[in-house]
Amino acid sequence: MTPAELLDHARTAPEHSPERTLWLVAAIEQIIGKPLVLVGGAAANTYTGEYIPTDIDLIGSGIDSADRAKLVEYGFTDPGVGHRHVHITLRPGEGPVYVEFPTPPLDAEEVTEVGLADGVVASIISLPDLVVDRLKQATDGTGVTRD
């Protein structure tokens, strides 16, 4: 599928749904041509369906100005230097979807691949790693182990 087709799938998915998030992950990954992994609140929503994230966090090898320019070509807005996010409005009347690119590397032992349709795959942090990540976000990060 082309990036435009992937974005069309995201547009037709319900607002705040895991499906919309996963289609956006696949689209962004294809647009910039770098592997990305969904983390944070949007990953929690993908596993539970019970959390409305404020943004979509994607970790990869880092994005640069050329990657941001490619996203702008597909309708994303880049707020410019000093911001770690871009955003896109998928349907009239809805608020923008913010996509943030936290600083790599990914602090996870496993990544789960989710199949969407026609061989399209989106990567998401594994559930055990997500739990540890969320605990670290809620604390200062010390004393959190998996043992």
Side-chain angles (χ1 to χ4, degrees):
M1 276 189 206
T2 67
E5 291 170 324
L6 297 170
L7 287 171
D8 284 342
H9 278 285
R11 281 185 185 91
T12 60
E15 188 175 20
H16 304 297
S17 69
E19 295 82 10
R20 175 180 271 190
T21 298
L22 293 170
W23 283 111
L24 276 171
V25 171
I28 294 167
E29 186 174 78
Q30 192 171 106
I31 291 166
I32 67 173
K34 296 178 182 177
L36 298 168
V37 178
L38 178 64
V39 299
N45 186 48
T46 300
Y47 282 113
T48 67
E50 298 294 325
Y51 179 84
I52 297 178
T54 58
D55 64 1
I56 296 172
D57 295 310
L58 299 173
I59 293 185
S61 59
I63 69 162
D64 56 27
S65 59
D67 298 326
R68 289 173 172 274
K70 292 176 192 173
L71 290 168
V72 168
E73 290 175 23
Y74 282 92
F76 287 82
T77 299
D78 180 2
V81 178
H83 295 275
R84 295 189 322 179
H85 74 275
V86 297
H87 62 274
I88 187 168
T89 299
L90 293 171
R91 290 193 298 234
E94 289 183 355
V97 177
Y98 289 88
V99 181
E100 187 171 343
F101 301 95
T103 305
L106 175 64
D107 186 14
E109 294 180 14
E110 293 181 36
V111 171
T112 300
E113 304 241 322
V114 179
L116 298 171
D118 298 327
V120 176
V121 174
S123 298
I124 182 171
I125 188 171
S126 70
L127 187 53
D129 287 321
L130 176 62
V131 170
V132 171
D133 177 67
R134 299 280 72 197
L135 288 171
K136 286 181 180 178
Q137 292 296 319
T139 67
D140 66 1
T142 59
V144 178
T145 67
R146 294 173 91 178
D147 298 332

